Amino acid sequence: MAGARVLLAFGLSAVHALGGITVADMFPREVRGEKIGWWTLMVRPFLGPILAAYIVAGTGDWYWVFGHLAVALGVILIYIFFFVPETLCFQGNVWEQHRARRLSVRLRPFEHAEVPKWSTAFFRPLIMLKYPACWLPAFWFAWTFSWSVGIGTVITILFGRYYHFQAPRVDLAYIAPLIGAVLGELAGGPFSDFIVQRLARRRNGQRRPETRLHSMYPALVCIVVGLVVFGVTLQQRKHYIVPLVGLTIFIFGMQASTTVVFTYPVDCYLAQGADALALVGGLKNVVSFIIPFYINPMINSIGVQDSFVSMAMISLGLALICVFSLLFYGERLRAWSGQPNWNRAMVRPSAQTVVDTLAAPYPHVRKEESPGQ
């Protein structure tokens, strides 16, 4: 069983590595924050526990949780294989890019790609550790995200202990973070893009990746306030709605900050965006795997209130060091660390080259003309 879970995690890691950069391929900087935010919302683990509780309650067998997941992933795989086109922007005008993407799916999808060796591509996310603009916000996000994972592991225990909730009713507590995540994205993504555009207008169109970090202020306030409210009101056994409100506020801030943390490295290193996001996702997964093991012992040792207040203070301190320091030193750190020596834009040739190469054996395709011809 452990081996199967490792294999499942290995496959699902592609979502974290490819999802964000796929969005970055398709949308310009002006709306990139909002679109990446919606992607991060889709990979949030809040709806799963609710559905899993009712699957187990309905079937009486927890194996069917993975059965439903296998069916869903199979349908998604078939859909991607037959209907999802190439998203990487080829060089050329809009019409040439459209034809290149369409032909790359319809004819010979990978023949024109200059794919690096797997050993080289494997280590590129680790090489991004050389660049503080990638790993500093990722390190803060990994720790703060681990709080949400830890809450997910203990929330059923705590609500069973303090409010005597039992499954599947106790799993409905996940509705609160789900609402917070949706509201956080509805507000955080557009707000992030609004800040970037407004500050750019003030600076006569000059854009700096660090301007996006200004949108973190309200998110950080929500993270700190939400954790404190959740821990304090739970310790004092307030009505169960009150700690759930605190949890909603915390996840609201988490989702709004996620949009910024995943978009900022792409703004800094767009050509290496896949590797930068793989690093962010990798740090998040490693830290959020380790830290939750210690949350329940910490709660048993110092109490719910002190535990969540400590989490809030750690998040605040790390944000000041790892995130907001980039507002003052980010540009200098990027200049000091330089640029990666590989360019993802060179993986594909020009759009017209792709069209000529792929359409050569298909005369009927070569006869297609652009609307202007």
Side-chain angles (χ1 to χ4, degrees), residues 172-251:
L172 295 178
Y174 287 98
I175 294 177
L178 180 62
I179 293 173
V182 173
L183 295 179
E185 178 48 40
L186 289 173
F191 180 70
S192 169
D193 294 328
F194 169 76
I195 291 294
V196 170
Q197 296 179 42
R198 181 167 183 175
L199 292 180
R201 286 195 297 267
R202 287 184 179 180
R203 296 168 180 167
N204 298 321
Q206 183 182 3
R207 297 179 183 272
R208 294 174 55 243
E210 286 72 29
T211 57
R212 191 177 296 276
L213 298 177
H214 288 285
S215 61
M216 285 279 290
Y217 299 139
L220 183 61
V221 171
C222 290
I223 288 172
V224 173
V225 171
L227 285 171
V228 171
V229 170
F230 181 78
V232 171
T233 58
L234 197 57
Q235 179 76 40
Q236 297 177 358
R237 297 176 183 267
K238 301 293 185 181
H239 191 279
Y240 72 89
I241 290 295
V242 182
L244 288 180
V245 170
L247 181 58
T248 302
I249 295 173
F250 164 61
I251 297 300

Side-chain angles (χ1 to χ4, degrees), residues 10 14 23 28 32 58 67 90 98 108 118 121 141 213 251 278 291 312 342 368:
F10 181 80
V23 176
R32 187 178 298 151
F90 296 99
H98 171 70
R108 301 194 302 276
W118 73 267
F141 175 73
L213 298 177
I251 297 300
I291 297 300
W342 69 92
E368 294 183 5

Side-chain angles (χ1 to χ4, degrees), residues 88-91 270-272 342-349:
L88 183 60
C89 296
F90 296 99
Q91 302 177 28
L270 179 59
Q272 298 82 26
W342 69 92
N343 190 334
R344 204 173 65 93
M346 300 306 294
V347 172
R348 305 281 185 175

Side-chain angles (χ1 to χ4, degrees), residues 320-336:
L320 295 177
I321 297 172
C322 298
V323 179
F324 293 118
S325 61
L326 293 173
L327 289 171
F328 303 98
Y329 305 108
E331 192 168 5
R332 276 180 279 182
L333 285 173
R334 286 189 288 110
W336 169 76

Side-chain angles (χ1 to χ4, degrees), residues 348-365:
R348 305 281 185 175
S350 68
Q352 190 57 50
T353 301
V354 174
V355 171
D356 293 340
T357 302
L358 292 181
Y362 306 91
H364 66 284
V365 174

Side-chain angles (χ1 to χ4, degrees), residues 38-117:
W38 281 112
W39 164 69
T40 61
L41 177 62
M42 294 298 104
V43 297
R44 285 289 190 183
F46 300 131
L47 185 59
I50 302 174
L51 298 178
Y54 284 96
I55 290 174
V56 174
T59 62
D61 192 343
W62 62 267
Y63 287 101
W64 270 109
V65 173
F66 294 94
H68 284 76
L69 181 61
V71 171
L73 292 178
V75 172
I76 292 172
L77 176 62
I78 294 173
Y79 179 83
I80 290 176
F81 185 82
F82 286 103
F83 300 107
V84 176
E86 174 61 68
T87 60
L88 183 60
C89 296
F90 296 99
Q91 302 177 28
N93 60 43
V94 174
W95 173 251
E96 292 173 344
Q97 291 186 31
H98 171 70
R99 291 196 66 198
R101 289 176 178 168
R102 184 156 51 89
L103 291 176
S104 69
V105 174
R106 285 171 51 192
L107 305 178
R108 301 194 302 276
F110 304 108
E111 189 168 313
H112 60 281
E114 299 175 12
V115 181
K117 294 181 179 180

